[in-house]
């Protein structure tokens, strides 16, 4: 009926306590550093510069996309002009061949 609790080895216990103390010390150090941060850095200026950098980055991205769109549009126009020119040459050659060939050979 009575179960004996297993004892935790002393090494495991000390290691866990050490990890806990290190984590608490790191958290306290971070909190103290964050409390001293406004004294050394103007947080409002830092945030406003970050937002301005973000806006400039988005603006540059949009300008790059616009430039890329212009290049693609020019390439498509060159391709369209090439296809139209080849089509016109093909039709011209067919017209010339119809004019050179006698009319009675065309129908059988």
């Amino acid at each position: 009926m009575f179960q004996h609790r297993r004892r935790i080895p002393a090494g495991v216990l000390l290691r866990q306590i050490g990890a806990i103390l290190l984590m608490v010390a790191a958290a306290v150090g971070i909190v103290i550093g964050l409390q001293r941060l406004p004294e050394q850095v103007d947080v409002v200026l830092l945030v406003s510069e970050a937002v301005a950098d973000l806006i400039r980055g988005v603006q540059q991205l949009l300008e790059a996309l616009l430039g890329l769109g212009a290049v693609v549009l020019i390439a498509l126009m060159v391709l369209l002009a090439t296809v139209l020119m080849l089509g016109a040459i093909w039709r011209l050659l067919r017209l010339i061949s119809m004019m050179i060939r006698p009319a009675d050979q065309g129908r059988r």
Side-chain angles (χ1 to χ4, degrees), residues 32-72:
I32 290 173
L34 288 174
Q35 284 179 344
R36 298 188 71 197
L37 186 64
E39 297 171 4
Q40 298 172 357
V41 177
D42 187 11
V43 177
V44 175
L45 180 64
L46 181 69
V47 169
S48 67
E49 286 180 3
V51 169
D53 289 342
L54 179 65
I55 291 171
R56 277 192 297 271
V58 170
Q59 182 182 4
Q60 287 179 349
L61 176 66
L62 291 175
E63 287 176 1
L65 288 175
L66 185 63
L68 181 63
V71 168
V72 168

Side-chain angles (χ1 to χ4, degrees), residues 81-91:
T82 303
V83 168
L84 289 173
M85 187 65 73
L86 290 174
I89 291 172
W90 178 255
R91 285 180 180 261

Side-chain angles (χ1 to χ4, degrees), residues 20-34:
I20 290 169
L21 290 175
L22 283 174
M23 292 171 81
V24 168
V28 169
I30 290 172
V31 168
I32 290 173
L34 288 174

